[in-house]
Amino acid sequence: MTMTNEQAAWFAETFEKLVANVGQAVLGKEHVIRLTFTAMLAEGHVLFEDAPGTGKTSLARALAATVQGSHNRIQFTPDLLPSDVTGVTIYDQKTQKFEFHKGPVFNNIVLADEINRASPKTQSALLEVMEESRVTVDGTTYDAGRPFMVLATQNPIEQAGTYRLPEAQLDRFLIKTSIGYPDHASTVRLLGGANLKDRSKELTPLITTQAVADMADLGATTHVDTAVLEYISRLCEETRNASETRLGVSVRGALAMVRAAKVWAAGQGRNFVLPDDIKELAPVVWTHRLVMDPEAEFSGATPEVVLNRVLADVAAPQQRATA
């Protein structure tokens, strides 16, 4: 079943209200908020590579407050253990049974702060829950619930004490972006409200977590024409064939683009995806999935340059594909 025009109009109206509500706490970052809600409704995750103090924690809190969801923050450090993320099974002497104590990952929104400061073993504790929204501990599987989204922050890999995220983990992030510093006007507004340490506490919840799950299901019904799917496939193939890349966009990355584009289109009041949606989302959905050839990287090639060339070389479908 494809989303109707009326449903698309409702989706866009609700989407705008959600973005505006979070925008009261995270000033001047409407585009980033849109991307984050797109990831949430596409049931994906977001990776931020940012400087400290740009509002990542505020964004997570504002998202949770807006959707009446739970949130938690995990500070990743070199001594963090996988059980500190997923939880641990403890023997209760009174009941003489093992009981599972859920870790911070069992929340609707999880902020994984400085994720690349933890060891690869601890980073891998997130792989299953990010892909399947469930955690397996001691052979027992526990659902993480819906919605579930990881907002992870990453320090530049040149900094001391960081571990490069493995390609398999990077591939599980739907979007990679940055918040960046606010503009002058937004900074002045922030400084004027310096007494408000947590602006998210002032937000009014607009929607329930169940309604978010329903919106995600509705967004998935946005129509994607075969011509657009072929366009996505050709773009992915070209990134794999590029001489500068060792690994191009994976099949998971192609599927991620389809899910994100459906929500992005619905957020604009359309029940069909356009090629322009793919072009607009490609930098944040695909750039972090490209693994560069070391020699090409040494010569100055970057994922952004490769992707821009591929987008310029591959012709987009000309006909508007409506549902």
Side-chain angles (χ1 to χ4, degrees):
M1 183 181 72
T2 301
M3 181 190 301
T4 65
N5 291 329
E6 292 76 15
Q7 288 173 324
W10 173 85
F11 191 104
E13 181 182 358
T14 305
F15 192 90
E16 290 296 332
K17 290 179 179 178
L18 295 173
V19 171
N21 200 57
V22 173
Q24 297 179 54
V26 185
L27 304 181
K29 297 298 175 183
E30 180 180 329
H31 184 66
V32 174
I33 297 171
R34 286 180 178 276
L35 289 174
T36 307
F37 268 118
T38 297
M40 176 184 284
L41 296 173
E43 299 188 294
H45 313 283
V46 183
L47 177 63
F48 294 103
E49 187 169 86
D50 246 319
T54 53
K56 299 177 287 291
T57 302
S58 297
L59 176 59
R61 289 175 177 170
L63 288 169
T66 298
V67 303
Q68 297 184 21
S70 59
H71 78 279
N72 207 327
R73 176 179 176 273
I74 308 172
Q75 179 62 55
F76 278 68
T77 56
D79 60 347
L80 193 74
L81 299 175
S83 59
D84 294 328
V85 176
T86 59
V88 63
T89 302
I90 299 176
Y91 184 73
D92 190 330
Q93 291 185 342
K94 292 183 179 180
T95 61
Q96 296 186 344
K97 293 181 180 179
F98 285 96
E99 293 184 359
F100 177 62
H101 293 250
K102 293 183 177 180
V105 78
F106 287 92
N107 283 274
N108 298 120
I109 297 172
V110 178
L111 178 62
D113 210 4
E114 297 185 303
I115 188 173
N116 60 336
R117 284 205 182 279
S119 67
K121 182 177 182 179
T122 300
Q123 291 175 14
S124 67
L126 286 171
L127 290 178
E128 180 186 16
V129 68
M130 289 177 66
E131 182 70 15
E132 304 176 22
S133 293
R134 65 183 188 182
V135 174
T136 302
V137 178
D138 295 332
T140 304
T141 299
Y142 306 89
D143 290 328
R146 296 177 71 196
F148 171 74
M149 180 169 66
V150 173
L151 297 179
T153 70
Q154 174 179 254
N155 294 317
I157 59 173
E158 294 82 8
Q159 288 189 5
T162 60
Y163 299 83
R164 185 186 293 270
L165 291 181
E167 290 84 355
Q169 186 158 6
L170 279 173
D171 207 26
R172 280 168 168 78
F173 285 101
L174 179 70
I175 287 173
K176 180 186 177 186
T177 186
S178 63
I179 296 179
Y181 293 113
D183 56 30
H184 176 72
S186 299
T187 301
V188 172
R189 287 180 60 194
L190 281 169
L191 297 177
N195 59 308
L196 297 175
K197 293 185 178 180
D198 186 1
R199 288 175 174 266
S200 65
K201 292 182 179 179
E202 308 296 319
L203 299 183
T204 302
L206 296 185
I207 195 172
T208 64
T209 52
Q210 180 58 52
V212 171
D214 292 341
M215 280 189 73
D217 292 337
L218 178 60
T221 65
T222 305
H223 175 70
V224 186
D225 191 77
T226 302
V228 176
L229 295 176
E230 291 177 349
Y231 178 56
I232 293 172
S233 179
R234 288 199 302 272
L235 290 172
C236 294
E237 290 170 2
E238 288 302 314
T239 65
R240 299 168 196 156
N241 295 332
S243 60
E244 302 94 333
T245 61
R246 187 158 54 88
L247 290 176
V249 177
S250 66
V251 175
R252 182 187 286 118
L255 291 169
M257 173 60 79
V258 174
R259 295 198 305 270
K262 285 183 175 185
V263 175
W264 190 258
Q268 299 180 45
R270 285 183 278 109
N271 61 349
F272 57 93
V273 172
L274 293 174
D276 285 347
D277 298 325
I278 310 304
K279 293 179 181 179
E280 190 166 5
L281 291 171
V284 295
V285 175
W286 280 345
T287 300
H288 63 285
R289 303 175 193 272
L290 301 183
V291 178
M292 304 300 294
D293 178 80
E295 292 186 8
E297 195 171 20
F298 181 77
S299 301
T302 64
E304 291 80 7
V305 170
V306 172
L307 189 57
N308 287 337
R309 189 186 70 235
V310 168
L311 289 170
D313 291 347
V314 178
Q318 297 298 315
Q319 185 177 356
R320 286 174 53 121
T322 58

